[in-house]
Amino acid sequence: MIIFGTKGYLHQLAVLTLVCGRCGNPAAHTLRKRVTKFTLFFVPLFPFSTKYATQCTFCGAEQQTTAAQAEQLRQQAGGGQSAPGHGGGAGHTTGPQYGQAHGQHNPYQN
């Protein structure tokens, strides 16, 4: 019996202040990367889908973006450099998080 399936991973790349297209409020938007990987016997083997989106923290509206637009927004947020071994800088593009000193790794964040 072969057990296979998919598993999704969600990475927060940056937090930006943008004007929402739905509610019209200038609010924080999270830039997210969703990667879906093929699994075999519960072991993720390779990614087969990668999608980028921004989500308004005021109204919850989500807008899909292309990889090029996501990279441009990430650089605009000040995340031009990516930390090696951290998945392209996921979670490390907006500076130290709440309760986290600069240079320390947050064990609860991918």
Side-chain angles (χ1 to χ4, degrees), residues 37-50:
K37 293 186 177 184
F38 176 79
T39 61
L40 183 64
F41 294 107
F42 306 105
V43 176
L45 295 178
F46 58 88
F48 69 88
S49 173
T50 301

Side-chain angles (χ1 to χ4, degrees), residues 4-86:
F4 64 94
T6 62
K7 179 168 172 113
Y9 298 89
L10 187 63
H11 303 279
Q12 181 173 319
L13 301 177
V15 178
L16 307 154
T17 302
L18 302 170
V19 176
C20 181
R22 180 176 170 207
C23 65
N25 289 315
H29 285 68
T30 56
L31 177 62
R32 296 178 177 171
K33 175 181 171 181
R34 182 180 311 266
V35 180
T36 306
K37 293 186 177 184
F38 176 79
T39 61
L40 183 64
F41 294 107
F42 306 105
V43 176
L45 295 178
F46 58 88
F48 69 88
S49 173
T50 301
K51 296 180 182 179
Y52 297 89
T54 59
Q55 184 176 21
C56 178
T57 58
F58 190 80
C59 69
E62 188 170 306
Q63 181 178 359
Q64 299 292 323
T65 61
T66 64
Q69 290 172 334
E71 183 61 30
Q72 184 180 13
L73 287 171
R74 192 170 70 87
Q75 288 178 355
Q76 180 181 348
Q81 306 90 0
S82 64
H86 284 71

Side-chain angles (χ1 to χ4, degrees), residues 88-106:
H92 297 279
T93 60
T94 59
Q97 300 294 319
Y98 177 76
Q100 177 183 354
H102 184 67
Q104 292 180 339
H105 176 69
N106 185 349

